[in-house]
Amino acid sequence: MTYTLENLATDIRQTLQGNPDNQGSSDICQFVEQALGDETFISTYFGADKTRPRHIIYEDPDFGFCVCVHISQNAKNGNPHDHGSSWAVYGQAEGVTEMTHWRIVEPAAGDSAALVAQVETLVMKPGMAHFYQVGDIHAPNRSGKSMLLRIEGANLDNIKRSKIKPVGAPAA
């Protein structure tokens, strides 16, 4: 049976309704992995005609979560970041993403950025999903073309994010 965008949105909505405070995070990851395992879902939302770096394919009117497609055509190294007051799930559709996790070693003060140190790197391969709680800091690195299905707890276009700088990085 095909797993559609409507199925994914309904499953996430029902999980959020029954699990406040991200208690359904493992369930949401399972739904993302189910979508990533469906050839029709992948060909519909990640087909050759899809080239925009970030595209919201669904935004829930009641819970505010978004289902986004992220496509990187080339290698790209991201900076450490959080998602402000939102949680997020990253699901690898194609390619490999090395997701580096960071911890705060010096909190932000005033206009200065929080200083972070690298903790570990998760290698995300097609079909894998990972949940990031509010405040989790990570940086995606891709050595080539990569496609991600990302669920945002809220539309990140409207969320203020923290200033973050790796320990030892030059001042911006």
Side-chain angles (χ1 to χ4, degrees), residues 101-125:
H101 299 162
W102 304 76
R103 66 178 171 79
I104 295 175
V105 294
E106 187 175 316
D111 288 337
S112 67
L115 297 180
V116 295
Q118 186 174 336
V119 176
E120 65 183 356
T121 299
L122 169 67
V123 178
M124 295 189 65
K125 297 178 182 174

PDB file of all heavy atoms in Angstrom, residues 101-125:
ATOM      1  N   HIS A 101      26.674  16.578  15.748  1.00  0.00           N
ATOM      2  CA  HIS A 101      25.953  17.070  16.926  1.00  0.00           C
ATOM      3  C   HIS A 101      26.924  17.870  17.788  1.00  0.00           C
ATOM      4  O   HIS A 101      28.102  17.511  17.911  1.00  0.00           O
ATOM      5  CB  HIS A 101      25.372  15.893  17.719  1.00  0.00           C
ATOM      6  CG  HIS A 101      24.397  15.092  16.912  1.00  0.00           C
ATOM      7  ND1 HIS A 101      24.030  13.824  17.254  1.00  0.00           N
ATOM      8  CD2 HIS A 101      23.719  15.378  15.782  1.00  0.00           C
ATOM      9  CE1 HIS A 101      23.165  13.353  16.376  1.00  0.00           C
ATOM     10  NE2 HIS A 101      22.965  14.289  15.467  1.00  0.00           N
ATOM     11  N   TRP A 102      26.420  18.931  18.381  1.00  0.00           N
ATOM     12  CA  TRP A 102      27.225  19.866  19.161  1.00  0.00           C
ATOM     13  C   TRP A 102      26.598  20.072  20.532  1.00  0.00           C
ATOM     14  O   TRP A 102      25.394  19.882  20.708  1.00  0.00           O
ATOM     15  CB  TRP A 102      27.299  21.214  18.446  1.00  0.00           C
ATOM     16  CG  TRP A 102      27.833  21.143  17.050  1.00  0.00           C
ATOM     17  CD1 TRP A 102      27.177  20.698  15.934  1.00  0.00           C
ATOM     18  CD2 TRP A 102      29.130  21.518  16.616  1.00  0.00           C
ATOM     19  NE1 TRP A 102      27.991  20.779  14.844  1.00  0.00           N
ATOM     20  CE2 TRP A 102      29.202  21.289  15.231  1.00  0.00           C
ATOM     21  CE3 TRP A 102      30.238  22.044  17.262  1.00  0.00           C
ATOM     22  CZ2 TRP A 102      30.333  21.551  14.477  1.00  0.00           C
ATOM     23  CZ3 TRP A 102      31.369  22.320  16.509  1.00  0.00           C
ATOM     24  CH2 TRP A 102      31.409  22.069  15.135  1.00  0.00           C
ATOM     25  N   ARG A 103      27.420  20.511  21.495  1.00  0.00           N
ATOM     26  CA  ARG A 103      26.907  20.862  22.826  1.00  0.00           C
ATOM     27  C   ARG A 103      27.384  22.273  23.161  1.00  0.00           C
ATOM     28  O   ARG A 103      28.452  22.713  22.717  1.00  0.00           O
ATOM     29  CB  ARG A 103      27.365  19.877  23.893  1.00  0.00           C
ATOM     30  CG  ARG A 103      28.843  19.873  24.154  1.00  0.00           C
ATOM     31  CD  ARG A 103      29.233  18.909  25.275  1.00  0.00           C
ATOM     32  NE  ARG A 103      30.664  18.771  25.344  1.00  0.00           N
ATOM     33  CZ  ARG A 103      31.487  19.652  25.909  1.00  0.00           C
ATOM     34  NH1 ARG A 103      30.995  20.729  26.487  1.00  0.00           N
ATOM     35  NH2 ARG A 103      32.789  19.460  25.917  1.00  0.00           N
ATOM     36  N   ILE A 104      26.595  22.966  23.926  1.00  0.00           N
ATOM     37  CA  ILE A 104      26.949  24.328  24.330  1.00  0.00           C
ATOM     38  C   ILE A 104      28.006  24.252  25.429  1.00  0.00           C
ATOM     39  O   ILE A 104      27.823  23.559  26.431  1.00  0.00           O
ATOM     40  CB  ILE A 104      25.709  25.103  24.824  1.00  0.00           C
ATOM     41  CG1 ILE A 104      24.734  25.296  23.656  1.00  0.00           C
ATOM     42  CG2 ILE A 104      26.108  26.448  25.427  1.00  0.00           C
ATOM     43  CD1 ILE A 104      23.416  25.946  24.047  1.00  0.00           C
ATOM     44  N   VAL A 105      29.108  24.956  25.225  1.00  0.00           N
ATOM     45  CA  VAL A 105      30.149  25.033  26.250  1.00  0.00           C
ATOM     46  C   VAL A 105      30.146  26.406  26.913  1.00  0.00           C
ATOM     47  O   VAL A 105      30.669  26.567  28.010  1.00  0.00           O
ATOM     48  CB  VAL A 105      31.557  24.697  25.702  1.00  0.00           C
ATOM     49  CG1 VAL A 105      31.623  23.243  25.275  1.00  0.00           C
ATOM     50  CG2 VAL A 105      31.956  25.612  24.564  1.00  0.00           C
ATOM     51  N   GLU A 106      29.578  27.390  26.238  1.00  0.00           N
ATOM     52  CA  GLU A 106      29.423  28.727  26.817  1.00  0.00           C
ATOM     53  C   GLU A 106      28.133  29.334  26.264  1.00  0.00           C
ATOM     54  O   GLU A 106      28.030  29.588  25.065  1.00  0.00           O
ATOM     55  CB  GLU A 106      30.618  29.611  26.462  1.00  0.00           C
ATOM     56  CG  GLU A 106      30.605  30.949  27.179  1.00  0.00           C
ATOM     57  CD  GLU A 106      31.866  31.748  26.888  1.00  0.00           C
ATOM     58  OE1 GLU A 106      32.960  31.160  26.921  1.00  0.00           O
ATOM     59  OE2 GLU A 106      31.734  32.956  26.623  1.00  0.00           O
ATOM     60  N   PRO A 107      27.138  29.538  27.131  1.00  0.00           N
ATOM     61  CA  PRO A 107      25.862  30.084  26.657  1.00  0.00           C
ATOM     62  C   PRO A 107      26.016  31.486  26.060  1.00  0.00           C
ATOM     63  O   PRO A 107      26.955  32.215  26.395  1.00  0.00           O
ATOM     64  CB  PRO A 107      24.999  30.142  27.924  1.00  0.00           C
ATOM     65  CG  PRO A 107      25.668  29.254  28.904  1.00  0.00           C
ATOM     66  CD  PRO A 107      27.135  29.254  28.560  1.00  0.00           C
ATOM     67  N   ALA A 108      25.116  31.831  25.201  1.00  0.00           N
ATOM     68  CA  ALA A 108      25.099  33.176  24.620  1.00  0.00           C
ATOM     69  C   ALA A 108      24.864  34.186  25.726  1.00  0.00           C
ATOM     70  O   ALA A 108      24.163  33.921  26.707  1.00  0.00           O
ATOM     71  CB  ALA A 108      23.985  33.284  23.581  1.00  0.00           C
ATOM     72  N   ALA A 109      25.481  35.357  25.564  1.00  0.00           N
ATOM     73  CA  ALA A 109      25.295  36.449  26.518  1.00  0.00           C
ATOM     74  C   ALA A 109      25.183  37.738  25.724  1.00  0.00           C
ATOM     75  O   ALA A 109      26.069  38.048  24.917  1.00  0.00           O
ATOM     76  CB  ALA A 109      26.458  36.514  27.497  1.00  0.00           C
ATOM     77  N   GLY A 110      24.101  38.445  25.930  1.00  0.00           N
ATOM     78  CA  GLY A 110      23.907  39.693  25.186  1.00  0.00           C
ATOM     79  C   GLY A 110      23.845  39.427  23.703  1.00  0.00           C
ATOM     80  O   GLY A 110      23.084  38.585  23.242  1.00  0.00           O
ATOM     81  N   ASP A 111      24.712  40.113  22.947  1.00  0.00           N
ATOM     82  CA  ASP A 111      24.752  39.929  21.496  1.00  0.00           C
ATOM     83  C   ASP A 111      25.744  38.854  21.056  1.00  0.00           C
ATOM     84  O   ASP A 111      25.869  38.578  19.870  1.00  0.00           O
ATOM     85  CB  ASP A 111      25.111  41.250  20.802  1.00  0.00           C
ATOM     86  CG  ASP A 111      23.973  42.260  20.851  1.00  0.00           C
ATOM     87  OD1 ASP A 111      22.812  41.823  21.008  1.00  0.00           O
ATOM     88  OD2 ASP A 111      24.247  43.467  20.738  1.00  0.00           O
ATOM     89  N   SER A 112      26.458  38.266  22.000  1.00  0.00           N
ATOM     90  CA  SER A 112      27.453  37.252  21.620  1.00  0.00           C
ATOM     91  C   SER A 112      26.782  35.903  21.382  1.00  0.00           C
ATOM     92  O   SER A 112      25.762  35.574  21.981  1.00  0.00           O
ATOM     93  CB  SER A 112      28.535  37.123  22.692  1.00  0.00           C
ATOM     94  OG  SER A 112      27.989  36.587  23.874  1.00  0.00           O
ATOM     95  N   ALA A 113      27.397  35.123  20.509  1.00  0.00           N
ATOM     96  CA  ALA A 113      26.875  33.804  20.163  1.00  0.00           C
ATOM     97  C   ALA A 113      27.220  32.790  21.247  1.00  0.00           C
ATOM     98  O   ALA A 113      28.212  32.945  21.967  1.00  0.00           O
ATOM     99  CB  ALA A 113      27.470  33.353  18.836  1.00  0.00           C
ATOM    100  N   ALA A 114      26.417  31.745  21.338  1.00  0.00           N
ATOM    101  CA  ALA A 114      26.763  30.614  22.195  1.00  0.00           C
ATOM    102  C   ALA A 114      27.941  29.895  21.560  1.00  0.00           C
ATOM    103  O   ALA A 114      28.015  29.774  20.330  1.00  0.00           O
ATOM    104  CB  ALA A 114      25.572  29.666  22.315  1.00  0.00           C
ATOM    105  N   LEU A 115      28.864  29.442  22.378  1.00  0.00           N
ATOM    106  CA  LEU A 115      29.998  28.665  21.877  1.00  0.00           C
ATOM    107  C   LEU A 115      29.680  27.189  22.024  1.00  0.00           C
ATOM    108  O   LEU A 115      29.176  26.749  23.068  1.00  0.00           O
ATOM    109  CB  LEU A 115      31.274  29.001  22.643  1.00  0.00           C
ATOM    110  CG  LEU A 115      31.767  30.447  22.522  1.00  0.00           C
ATOM    111  CD1 LEU A 115      33.041  30.637  23.345  1.00  0.00           C
ATOM    112  CD2 LEU A 115      31.995  30.822  21.065  1.00  0.00           C
ATOM    113  N   VAL A 116      29.965  26.423  20.963  1.00  0.00           N
ATOM    114  CA  VAL A 116      29.637  24.998  20.963  1.00  0.00           C
ATOM    115  C   VAL A 116      30.859  24.162  20.614  1.00  0.00           C
ATOM    116  O   VAL A 116      31.767  24.619  19.922  1.00  0.00           O
ATOM    117  CB  VAL A 116      28.485  24.686  19.978  1.00  0.00           C
ATOM    118  CG1 VAL A 116      27.189  25.352  20.425  1.00  0.00           C
ATOM    119  CG2 VAL A 116      28.836  25.090  18.550  1.00  0.00           C
ATOM    120  N   ALA A 117      30.862  22.931  21.101  1.00  0.00           N
ATOM    121  CA  ALA A 117      31.914  21.968  20.799  1.00  0.00           C
ATOM    122  C   ALA A 117      31.274  20.726  20.189  1.00  0.00           C
ATOM    123  O   ALA A 117      30.172  20.319  20.579  1.00  0.00           O
ATOM    124  CB  ALA A 117      32.672  21.587  22.069  1.00  0.00           C
ATOM    125  N   GLN A 118      31.984  20.136  19.254  1.00  0.00           N
ATOM    126  CA  GLN A 118      31.500  18.945  18.576  1.00  0.00           C
ATOM    127  C   GLN A 118      31.432  17.770  19.532  1.00  0.00           C
ATOM    128  O   GLN A 118      32.334  17.570  20.348  1.00  0.00           O
ATOM    129  CB  GLN A 118      32.442  18.632  17.414  1.00  0.00           C
ATOM    130  CG  GLN A 118      31.988  17.513  16.537  1.00  0.00           C
ATOM    131  CD  GLN A 118      32.901  17.355  15.326  1.00  0.00           C
ATOM    132  OE1 GLN A 118      33.564  18.291  14.906  1.00  0.00           O
ATOM    133  NE2 GLN A 118      32.924  16.161  14.778  1.00  0.00           N
ATOM    134  N   VAL A 119      30.361  16.988  19.426  1.00  0.00           N
ATOM    135  CA  VAL A 119      30.170  15.829  20.294  1.00  0.00           C
ATOM    136  C   VAL A 119      30.328  14.526  19.512  1.00  0.00           C
ATOM    137  O   VAL A 119      31.106  13.656  19.887  1.00  0.00           O
ATOM    138  CB  VAL A 119      28.768  15.866  20.964  1.00  0.00           C
ATOM    139  CG1 VAL A 119      28.517  14.622  21.784  1.00  0.00           C
ATOM    140  CG2 VAL A 119      28.606  17.113  21.792  1.00  0.00           C
ATOM    141  N   GLU A 120      29.571  14.386  18.427  1.00  0.00           N
ATOM    142  CA  GLU A 120      29.579  13.156  17.647  1.00  0.00           C
ATOM    143  C   GLU A 120      29.030  13.444  16.256  1.00  0.00           C
ATOM    144  O   GLU A 120      28.456  14.502  16.025  1.00  0.00           O
ATOM    145  CB  GLU A 120      28.718  12.082  18.310  1.00  0.00           C
ATOM    146  CG  GLU A 120      27.238  12.455  18.358  1.00  0.00           C
ATOM    147  CD  GLU A 120      26.367  11.437  19.081  1.00  0.00           C
ATOM    148  OE1 GLU A 120      26.881  10.387  19.496  1.00  0.00           O
ATOM    149  OE2 GLU A 120      25.171  11.707  19.214  1.00  0.00           O
ATOM    150  N   THR A 121      29.192  12.479  15.364  1.00  0.00           N
ATOM    151  CA  THR A 121      28.638  12.610  14.030  1.00  0.00           C
ATOM    152  C   THR A 121      27.801  11.377  13.717  1.00  0.00           C
ATOM    153  O   THR A 121      28.265  10.244  13.896  1.00  0.00           O
ATOM    154  CB  THR A 121      29.757  12.777  12.982  1.00  0.00           C
ATOM    155  OG1 THR A 121      30.488  13.974  13.288  1.00  0.00           O
ATOM    156  CG2 THR A 121      29.188  12.889  11.576  1.00  0.00           C
ATOM    157  N   LEU A 122      26.585  11.622  13.269  1.00  0.00           N
ATOM    158  CA  LEU A 122      25.658  10.572  12.855  1.00  0.00           C
ATOM    159  C   LEU A 122      25.682  10.533  11.330  1.00  0.00           C
ATOM    160  O   LEU A 122      25.465  11.568  10.688  1.00  0.00           O
ATOM    161  CB  LEU A 122      24.248  10.891  13.351  1.00  0.00           C
ATOM    162  CG  LEU A 122      23.106  10.042  12.807  1.00  0.00           C
ATOM    163  CD1 LEU A 122      23.229   8.606  13.301  1.00  0.00           C
ATOM    164  CD2 LEU A 122      21.768  10.638  13.227  1.00  0.00           C
ATOM    165  N   VAL A 123      25.956   9.372  10.751  1.00  0.00           N
ATOM    166  CA  VAL A 123      25.940   9.226   9.299  1.00  0.00           C
ATOM    167  C   VAL A 123      24.545   8.762   8.904  1.00  0.00           C
ATOM    168  O   VAL A 123      24.132   7.644   9.230  1.00  0.00           O
ATOM    169  CB  VAL A 123      27.016   8.227   8.818  1.00  0.00           C
ATOM    170  CG1 VAL A 123      26.936   8.049   7.306  1.00  0.00           C
ATOM    171  CG2 VAL A 123      28.402   8.699   9.237  1.00  0.00           C
ATOM    172  N   MET A 124      23.824   9.660   8.238  1.00  0.00           N
ATOM    173  CA  MET A 124      22.452   9.354   7.820  1.00  0.00           C
ATOM    174  C   MET A 124      22.467   8.830   6.386  1.00  0.00           C
ATOM    175  O   MET A 124      22.940   9.500   5.474  1.00  0.00           O
ATOM    176  CB  MET A 124      21.575  10.594   7.947  1.00  0.00           C
ATOM    177  CG  MET A 124      21.409  11.036   9.393  1.00  0.00           C
ATOM    178  SD  MET A 124      20.182  12.336   9.597  1.00  0.00           S
ATOM    179  CE  MET A 124      18.698  11.460   9.101  1.00  0.00           C
ATOM    180  N   LYS A 125      21.923   7.639   6.223  1.00  0.00           N
ATOM    181  CA  LYS A 125      21.831   6.981   4.916  1.00  0.00           C
ATOM    182  C   LYS A 125      20.365   6.911   4.506  1.00  0.00           C
ATOM    183  O   LYS A 125      19.475   7.071   5.352  1.00  0.00           O
ATOM    184  CB  LYS A 125      22.448   5.586   5.006  1.00  0.00           C
ATOM    185  CG  LYS A 125      23.930   5.630   5.341  1.00  0.00           C
ATOM    186  CD  LYS A 125      24.514   4.256   5.486  1.00  0.00           C
ATOM    187  CE  LYS A 125      25.990   4.380   5.860  1.00  0.00           C
ATOM    188  NZ  LYS A 125      26.588   3.097   6.149  1.00  0.00           N
TER     189      LYS A 125
END
